[in-house]
Amino acid sequence: MNNIFEKEKELFISTYKRIPLEIVKGEGVYLYDKEGNKYLDFFSGLAVNALGYAHPAVNEAISDQISKYIHLSNYFITEPQIRFAEKLIKYSGMSGVFLSNSGTEANEGVIKIIRKVKGKDKKIYTFTGGFHGRTYGALTLTASEKYQQGFEPLLQNIGYIKFNDSEDLLAKVDSNTAAIFIEFIQGEGGIFPASGEFVKNIEKLRKEFSFLLVADEIQCGLGRTGKAFAYEYYNVKPDIVVVAKSVGGGLPLGAFLVSEELKDILTAGNHGTTFGGNPVACAAGNVILEKVFEEGLLTRVKENGEYLIDLLSKLKEEFPKDIKEVRGKGYMIGIEHNYECSKLVEQFRDRKTLVNCTNQNVIRILPPLIAEKEHINFFISTYREILKEMNQ
Ligand SMILES: *Cc1c(COP(=O)(O)O)cnc(C)c1O
């Protein structure tokens, strides 16, 4: 076979900018390329690989399930789905669940519930800088020209509010508001946490106008920030919670969870999916939920996250011309630079460390939740080396 990168150009619609590495294997927090190089992976498949690569319990759950059956269709309810739903309900405190294949698909279902319960004329609001997916409904929720331009007309009755801008919030939300979608910590937008004051104002308006609050926890949920869900940092109880990314242990899986009042809005035939809640994905997901919620991983992420942010803040003091701000919680951190970051990503890669750049000037790290202090130390010393060299 030719070089896979040349082949890709020949075969694929070019929607992705690929990392020029040919990965042959993953283990724990490391990836290995064809040349035998070992990389510390600090963005873990875009917040998916919470337990790293080749986790024995995940692999065992998958092979155990595929030896029974891989797929039955949603005409059947299966045991792995029941166990998975039970755990999601238990740890979120919600009352009903629908299983999808991805984040964007889960958000589509949520839009349908909102429309059905609130009517077609009421408006759904989302926030600038947010990201909710790429299918048409979710794309309309994603208040960003970068993603929407060229694809209009979009869905009707969806409006946008400036994130963390209480004035804009108070001016727009009223009795005609059906719902608000929020990422309590924005991921793709550059790791921006909602401010406490902003969330208080949302809650005040929610009491007054009783719209639905939807927490998009696809990236920030399931232990990523050191709490089960990012909304817990704000003492908020959403009406709907959406998860995906890490929830299937690396297999395609997503879910939306609803409160008791919303449990019976969608009825037989209203919504569905062929693959959603695939039993193998649920079997893998069960291991993720066990490890994150029952085996102390949360506490460790919280502690190590504080350690990591502390070291990054010191780095910021050391290199004020480079680093503008350090944001985030747990293992969801953005380091904003005073310049565009793609070069920096390459320098990390040259030093066998994989990080991501989002919103042009933000180095985003999403380490697997199993990452330890020694990995954090390696990452920080690599970062320091790079910045030192750049400042010479
Ligand atoms: C990734 C992401 C989505 C979309 O999920 P897909 O599985 O890629 O469709 C939606 N919302 C947030 C916050 C995300 O990070």
Side-chain angles (χ1 to χ4, degrees):
M1 197 173 77
N2 277 344
N3 179 312
I4 59 167
F5 301 103
E6 284 163 21
K7 273 280 177 202
E8 192 226 355
K9 277 206 182 71
E10 187 187 316
L11 299 168
F12 284 78
I13 295 173
S14 48
T15 52
Y16 301 110
K17 227 192 270 164
R18 311 283 190 179
I19 295 167
L21 293 179
E22 193 170 344
I23 300 298
V24 293
K25 191 181 93 162
E27 200 177 356
V29 298
Y30 296 106
L31 281 174
Y32 297 83
D33 71 8
K34 214 175 163 186
E35 282 80 41
N37 294 306
K38 173 177 159 184
Y39 294 86
L40 177 69
D41 180 7
F42 256 26
F43 79 105
S44 50
L46 270 175
V48 168
N49 304 317
L51 302 180
Y53 297 95
H55 192 283
V58 174
N59 288 2
E60 195 188 315
I62 290 173
S63 58
D64 187 48
Q65 182 55 40
I66 60 179
S67 70
K68 294 175 187 155
Y69 53 85
I70 293 174
H71 171 85
L72 294 180
S73 93
N74 280 312
Y75 277 108
F76 297 88
I77 181 69
T78 66
E79 189 267 342
Q81 287 175 327
I82 295 285
R83 273 199 295 142
F84 182 70
E86 229 163 28
K87 285 198 175 64
L88 274 183
I89 297 274
K90 178 171 164 195
Y91 296 115
S92 65
M94 304 303 281
S95 301
V97 64
F98 180 90
L99 301 180
S100 68
N101 300 279
S102 68
T104 200
E105 190 198 344
N107 279 335
E108 295 295 327
V110 173
I111 295 172
K112 284 173 74 175
I113 288 207
I114 295 167
R115 291 288 202 234
K116 194 166 177 203
V117 69
K118 295 287 185 182
K120 65 180 164 58
D121 296 323
K122 286 203 174 184
K123 207 156 178 167
I124 300 172
Y125 281 108
T126 66
F127 299 112
T128 55
F131 183 83
H132 302 289
R134 307 270 200 165
T135 50
Y136 259 96
L139 177 67
T140 311
L141 297 176
T142 300
S144 162
E145 230 178 70
K146 186 174 100 184
Y147 298 106
Q148 294 181 347
Q149 205 176 36
F151 303 119
E152 300 89 351
L154 301 171
L155 214 61
Q156 289 177 4
N157 281 336
I158 292 181
Y160 309 124
I161 292 167
K162 284 202 197 92
F163 192 52
N164 281 340
D165 185 331
S166 289
E167 213 176 298
D168 199 33
L169 177 81
L170 293 162
K172 284 176 179 159
V173 173
D174 58 20
S175 57
N176 197 41
T177 302
I180 286 183
F181 268 76
I182 182 169
E183 286 172 89
F184 281 93
I185 299 182
Q186 292 188 335
E188 302 301 305
I191 315 293
F192 284 100
S195 78
E197 187 222 295
F198 190 62
V199 176
K200 272 203 192 99
N201 282 322
I202 293 176
E203 285 292 88
K204 215 167 74 193
L205 292 165
R206 188 175 167 211
K207 275 211 187 83
E208 192 177 345
F209 299 120
S210 61
F211 54 81
L212 301 174
L213 185 67
V214 185
D216 182 336
E217 293 272 339
I218 292 170
Q219 190 164 149
C220 58
L222 300 174
R224 174 62 42 202
T225 65
K227 285 203 189 270
F229 297 96
Y231 60 76
E232 292 174 16
Y233 280 104
Y234 301 84
N235 289 317
V236 167
K237 177 130 182 51
D239 301 287
I240 302 177
V241 178
V242 191
V243 295
K245 292 213 160 87
S246 68
V247 82
L251 291 173
L253 188 59
F256 60 88
L257 295 134
V258 302
S259 64
E260 189 63 40
E261 300 77 61
L262 296 173
K263 204 181 160 195
D264 300 319
I265 302 299
L266 295 178
T267 53
N270 266 184
H271 196 52
T273 157
T274 297
F275 286 116
N278 171 273
V280 184
C282 287
N286 275 319
V287 179
I288 300 293
L289 298 179
E290 267 161 35
K291 298 284 172 196
V292 170
F293 294 116
E294 292 158 24
E295 292 179 24
L297 204 52
L298 266 183
T299 324
R300 219 170 67 197
V301 170
K302 193 156 192 294
E303 281 169 16
N304 288 352
E306 279 160 16
Y307 175 73
L308 175 53
I309 287 176
D310 189 45
L311 291 178
L312 285 168
S313 305
K314 286 190 180 121
L315 211 59
K316 175 180 173 272
E317 278 166 33
E318 230 177 295
F319 300 98
K321 276 193 291 193
D322 298 271
I323 300 178
K324 194 173 159 195
E325 194 174 35
V326 177
R327 296 185 293 264
K329 288 244 190 277
Y331 279 1
M332 182 174 182
I333 297 173
I335 305 108
E336 185 169 332
H337 280 250
N338 288 312
Y339 42 78
E340 208 274 329
C341 281
S342 52
K343 204 52 192 221
L344 213 51
V345 170
E346 279 172 39
Q347 286 166 314
F348 268 106
R349 196 159 64 230
D350 291 343
R351 289 175 166 79
K352 310 289 178 275
T353 303
L354 304 179
V355 299
N356 173 248
C357 167
T358 190
N359 201 22
Q360 283 108 47
N361 57 356
V362 180
I363 291 287
R364 173 172 51 165
I365 54 164
L366 300 160
L369 305 187
I370 56 161
E372 309 254 13
K373 281 211 170 82
E374 56 171 296
H375 307 118
I376 293 172
N377 292 340
F378 179 85
F379 165 73
I380 293 288
S381 70
T382 304
Y383 213 151
R384 180 171 284 113
E385 260 176 47
I386 295 170
L387 294 179
K388 250 189 189 155
E389 206 178 274
M390 278 172 55
N391 280 285
Q392 257 167 21

